[in-house]
Amino acid sequence: MAAWDLSVTVEDLGADAPPITVSVTSDLHIGGVILKLVEKSQVKRDWSDHALWWEQKQQWLLRTAWTLEKCGIQADAGLIFMAQHKSLRLGLPNGLTLRLRACFSGPVFRTVLGICKMLNIRRPEELSLLRPVEEKKKKKDKDLSEELYDLTEVPLTSANIDPGCFPSYPVSRPCLYNGMPAHFADSLKTEKVYKMLSVSQPAPAPEAIAKLYRPASVVDKAHIHSRWLDSSRSLMQQGVQENDRLWLRFKYYCFHDLEPKYDVVRLTQMYEQARWAILLEDIDCTEEEMLLFGAIQYHINKLSLSEPQTMTSSPAMDDLDSALQGLEVKLDGADSMYFCFRPKRLTLKGYKQYWFKFKDASISYYKSKEESLGEPIQQINLKGCEAAPDVNVAGQKFCIKLLIPAPEGMNEVYLRCENEEQYSRWMAACRLASKEKSLADRLFQSEVQSIRSFLAMQQTNPNTHTDDSMSINTHSLVSPRYSKKYKVKQVPSRDEHLHRLTPRILEAYQNVAQLSLTDALLRFLQIWQALPDFGISFVVVRFKGSRKDEVLGIAPNRLIRIDLGVGDVVKTWRYNNMRQWNVNWDIRQVAIEFDGNVNMAFSCVTADCKIVHEFIGGYIFMSTRSREQSDTLNEELFHKLTGGHEAL
């Protein structure tokens, strides 16, 4: 073949250096081009991390055995020879910003694997990278630079992998030295950084909190979720440059195989993400719940500032089901009782009292106890249902919100209990029935007790006195909405504000003051997970056949259609009723088919449809994980479910 000249820019020689021209033939492979470049540069160094980047095509040439002809490269290609690992500024859930070396050539999924392995965060498939929401800065703040913690000298353990290869990554328990990975124990500087990763940090000043982005509507929340990077493509392909800033966040709210002993960083960052979601009002909660969250935060802050504590696991906290789903508990002998009942369609008519009977995995209701020997008005099968709490202990409101599977989606039913004892037993019964378990289950009593304990934590003791009143910074413990509520308008002094809010937090604090650091973190996450809006990511969409924009909520186990104007749930579909979903990449439309010949399609308004496709496929992937196979991570399956037509 005839030889021709190929000009390649070598990034390490500097921006002013001219390109290196090498003589090649079309049957020369990529590895041969790299060899010629290295020889002609006459620079002696380790080039093993370098690869060719094709700027015009926005792609890496990582298959070194492929020829120039097969890659489609001609003399005007304009290639760049650069390092695959570059410096990246990474914002963590706890507010720290790290500078570290990350892979810019592999898919983001692998980049996150490498970052999480270095930071000692297990189950990295639950996290991803997104572009940060820039905070509004005043002119006088423009000279302030963020504090960076440099980890660029810490080695990345992942090796370069052929882009066509999908290995099963080991995700087993790490080897720790003095409570931390060996690469953090090499110096006092990195050891300090690891302690900041694994211990909850003091909250910033109120002025700094006020500058943080706070979503004002569901549309604002939808715009945040439009910033997730594509897991199938590399950082370079998505326009991320060296030293750019990205956020590392938990994306999929399915926390698998949680072990406090090995998951110190993971648990702490999970807590921090939950904490800031509540403080910045990204998720709604009641006043009682907010005060309880504030009390647990105060307790965690006190423990974190005292002697270093080791995360421990107890028999009751061995896996995620018990650690984060302690509210899923069970009922004793009374299986018949009067309830106030309100189907969703009768919202305006309020609650009406019926006699309910619970048998097997279904509930039946009648006009009265006397008529319970005959046919019920309706029998509701609770298999696969969801039972969410709607509770206000101070107001003596004990409601159960049931989402019942139906061919066209999910129907909502509300049960209003007379007291917390009735609520505890029936909430437990509904949770059991959703998993096809009966009231005779051997764990019934312990789970009922767990619900009672949760309710007890929301009870306050106004006669409690403590000397800690002046040490609480209430601005960092509750959201601005509740902070303003307790501020006295006539006396706008900060001390008066603290005087009113501090006793309420300390009342709730008495119920959690005996918890260990590990149990306090887990309890905070447990209550967070029980919130009605937990784990829902929002996207503004346009459903096929509709003339208006609506909101699609993507939860760990279901899709939710929400009216954008009033915020009401229109319909719910569960993933386990999904037969298939497809994306028409030409018109950017997602189509989903459910059991019972139920079909729906929509186009995305605030995000690329690839983000929605990846969320759905990602949650289905999370559901395939099992405790028996928890030592490996099947990347090939993840890309099959999330990659779309551009999958590797």
Side-chain angles (χ1 to χ4, degrees):
M1 284 190 175
W4 45 277
D5 289 341
L6 178 66
S7 294
V8 180
T9 300
V10 180
E11 191 177 63
D12 292 53
L13 298 182
D16 297 331
I20 293 179
T21 301
V22 292
S23 179
V24 299
T25 57
S26 296
D27 63 347
L28 181 65
H29 52 72
I30 297 296
V33 176
I34 293 175
L35 183 60
K36 285 176 176 286
L37 281 173
V38 171
E39 291 175 346
K40 197 162 185 178
S41 71
Q42 297 183 345
V43 176
K44 293 184 178 180
R45 55 158 298 171
D46 182 4
W47 295 97
S48 61
D49 186 49
H50 285 59
L52 291 171
W53 166 253
W54 193 351
E55 182 70 24
Q56 291 94 328
K57 295 285 188 179
Q58 289 288 294
Q59 71 181 56
W60 289 90
L61 304 177
L62 300 177
R63 301 179 188 270
T64 54
W66 281 24
T67 64
L68 295 176
E69 183 179 28
K70 186 171 184 178
C71 293
I73 294 173
Q74 298 178 357
D76 60 349
L79 304 180
I80 303 175
F81 189 52
M82 64 170 69
Q84 299 179 62
H85 290 82
K86 299 174 182 288
S87 178
L88 186 70
R89 290 182 298 146
L90 192 70
L92 299 182
N94 67 346
L96 293 183
T97 300
L98 307 177
R99 176 179 277 122
L100 44 74
R101 293 176 67 245
C103 179
F104 275 63
S105 61
V108 164
F109 185 83
R110 280 189 200 153
T111 301
V112 173
L113 291 184
I115 291 172
C116 288
K117 185 156 189 175
M118 185 183 72
L119 300 181
N120 190 29
I121 300 177
R122 294 193 318 129
R123 315 311 316 189
E125 68 273 14
E126 297 167 357
L127 298 93
S128 193
L129 300 172
L130 72 160
R131 302 180 194 275
V133 178
E134 296 301 330
E135 302 156 10
K136 293 183 179 179
K137 296 183 179 180
K138 298 180 180 179
K139 291 183 178 179
K140 62 182 180 180
D141 298 332
K142 63 182 179 180
D143 295 330
L144 297 178
S145 58
E146 63 181 353
E147 188 171 8
L148 288 172
Y149 297 91
D150 195 345
L151 293 179
T152 52
E153 299 302 317
V154 176
L156 286 169
T157 54
S158 59
N160 295 334
I161 300 170
D162 186 282
C165 174
F166 295 100
S168 293
Y169 287 96
V171 288
S172 55
R173 300 178 182 90
C175 294
L176 304 178
Y177 302 88
N178 295 325
M180 67 183 69
H183 52 266
F184 276 101
D186 288 343
S187 70
L188 292 177
K189 184 182 79 168
T190 54
E191 187 173 320
K192 177 185 176 182
V193 173
Y194 187 78
K195 289 180 179 178
M196 298 179 75
L197 297 175
S198 55
V199 177
S200 176
Q201 298 300 299
E207 297 77 19
I209 296 178
K211 295 176 185 177
L212 298 176
Y213 179 78
R214 185 177 297 109
S217 66
V218 69
V219 175
D220 289 345
K221 297 176 184 179
H223 280 293
I224 293 176
H225 291 293
S226 70
R227 295 173 175 267
W228 289 106
L229 295 186
D230 189 334
S231 295
S232 304
R233 302 166 66 215
S234 69
L235 293 178
M236 286 287 289
Q237 288 176 306
Q238 300 180 70
V240 179
Q241 301 296 319
E242 186 171 9
N243 287 319
D244 277 0
R245 188 166 187 260
L246 295 175
W247 282 351
L248 178 69
R249 294 291 187 270
F250 289 92
K251 179 178 181 180
Y252 301 102
Y253 294 86
C254 299
F255 309 126
H256 179 64
D257 189 28
L258 188 67
E259 296 190 44
K261 182 178 179 180
Y262 300 101
D263 289 325
V264 181
V265 178
R266 180 186 176 202
L267 186 58
T268 300
Q269 297 302 322
M270 198 182 294
Y271 158 73
E272 290 286 351
Q273 184 163 328
R275 169 193 179 197
W276 285 106
I278 292 163
L279 291 179
L280 298 178
E281 299 175 355
D282 188 43
I283 185 170
D284 293 329
C285 63
T286 65
E287 181 176 335
E288 283 182 323
E289 290 164 340
M290 180 61 73
L291 293 172
L292 183 53
F293 281 130
I296 300 176
Q297 286 180 75
Y298 173 61
H299 184 53
I300 290 173
N301 291 343
K302 288 183 66 175
L303 295 178
S304 299
L305 292 172
S306 61
E307 292 294 322
Q309 301 200 20
T310 303
M311 295 284 184
T312 57
S313 60
S314 61
M317 297 293 180
D318 278 343
D319 58 21
L320 180 62
D321 287 337
S322 55
L324 292 181
Q325 297 179 358
L327 293 181
E328 299 187 3
V329 294
K330 318 172 185 175
L331 164 79
D332 62 9
D335 61 351
S336 301
M337 202 167 294
Y338 277 105
F339 273 92
C340 292
F341 171 60
R342 187 186 77 188
K344 173 71 173 180
R345 63 180 181 276
L346 301 179
T347 299
L348 298 178
K349 296 184 179 180
Y351 290 94
K352 189 173 181 180
Q353 194 174 61
Y354 292 95
W355 178 260
F356 273 75
K357 289 180 68 175
F358 197 108
K359 185 176 182 181
D360 298 327
S362 64
I363 53 177
S364 304
Y365 64 95
Y366 309 80
K367 285 187 177 181
S368 65
K369 181 179 180 180
E370 291 70 26
E371 295 186 14
S372 63
L373 297 177
E375 290 294 318
I377 297 174
Q378 185 181 2
Q379 185 179 53
I380 303 173
N381 188 346
L382 299 183
K383 177 184 175 182
C385 79
E386 295 178 33
D390 184 7
V391 174
N392 184 323
V393 177
Q396 289 297 291
K397 176 186 177 183
F398 303 99
C399 293
I400 301 172
K401 175 184 175 183
L402 294 175
L403 289 174
I404 311 296
E408 68 279 3
M410 300 280 279
N411 294 330
E412 290 186 20
V413 170
Y414 293 83
L415 301 180
R416 183 159 190 164
C417 306
E418 294 180 353
N419 51 53
E420 64 180 82
E421 182 63 24
Q422 187 187 71
Y423 167 82
S424 299
R425 300 199 311 267
W426 279 78
M427 169 59 100
C430 293
R431 298 269 185 171
L432 275 181
S434 69
K435 297 181 178 181
E436 299 184 72
K437 294 184 179 180
S438 71
L439 304 184
D441 193 283
R442 61 184 180 83
L443 296 177
F444 169 74
Q445 290 294 344
S446 63
E447 296 197 6
V448 169
Q449 187 58 44
S450 179
I451 283 188
R452 290 172 180 161
S453 299
F454 173 67
L455 295 175
M457 289 179 65
Q458 298 190 49
Q459 295 174 348
T460 58
N461 181 7
N463 298 319
T464 300
H465 297 281
T466 177
D467 295 331
D468 292 339
S469 300
M470 299 308 296
S471 66
I472 296 184
N473 176 10
T474 55
H475 292 282
S476 65
L477 299 178
V478 299
S479 67
R481 177 156 54 102
Y482 290 105
S483 186
K484 289 177 183 177
K485 178 179 179 180
Y486 282 89
K487 190 170 184 177
V488 180
K489 294 182 180 179
Q490 294 83 351
V491 186
S493 72
R494 187 167 178 268
D495 289 341
E496 182 64 28
H497 171 215
L498 291 176
H499 177 72
R500 292 198 64 207
L501 187 53
T502 298
R504 294 295 309 275
I505 293 177
L506 290 176
E507 290 168 14
Y509 169 67
Q510 301 307 310
N511 294 317
V512 300
Q514 304 306 315
L515 294 176
S516 67
L517 178 58
T518 301
D519 289 341
L521 290 170
L522 291 171
R523 185 57 59 90
F524 190 97
L525 295 172
Q526 175 189 22
I527 302 170
W528 172 53
Q529 195 183 42
L531 296 177
D533 293 337
F534 165 77
I536 302 178
S537 304
F538 299 100
V539 180
V540 178
V541 301
R542 177 74 62 90
F543 281 91
K544 187 176 181 179
S546 175
R547 295 184 178 180
K548 63 178 182 178
D549 291 344
E550 296 177 76
V551 175
L552 181 71
I554 308 171
N557 58 355
R558 66 194 188 280
L559 297 174
I560 310 164
R561 184 174 182 174
I562 303 170
D563 186 291
L564 183 57
V566 295
D568 286 348
V569 174
V570 177
K571 196 156 291 186
T572 305
W573 302 274
R574 290 175 63 90
Y575 296 144
N576 58 11
N577 293 330
M578 185 187 298
R579 300 184 64 180
Q580 64 175 342
W581 82 98
N582 300 290
V583 179
N584 186 326
W585 299 104
D586 294 328
I587 61 174
R588 318 300 286 182
Q589 185 181 79
V590 181
I592 307 177
E593 179 185 350
F594 296 92
D595 292 341
N597 294 321
V598 175
N599 296 275
M600 63 104 154
F602 57 85
S603 56
C604 299
V605 177
T606 57
D608 193 286
C609 63
K610 174 62 165 65
I611 292 179
V612 175
H613 170 63
E614 193 169 307
F615 260 117
I616 296 173
Y619 274 126
I620 291 175
F621 172 79
M622 301 301 156
S623 69
T624 65
R625 299 176 300 177
S626 66
R627 199 165 178 81
E628 294 74 23
Q629 299 176 340
S630 61
D631 288 341
T632 58
L633 178 59
N634 189 341
E635 185 187 358
E636 181 178 8
L637 179 59
F638 180 86
H639 282 297
K640 281 183 177 179
L641 290 169
T642 65
H645 74 308
E646 296 175 346
L648 295 179

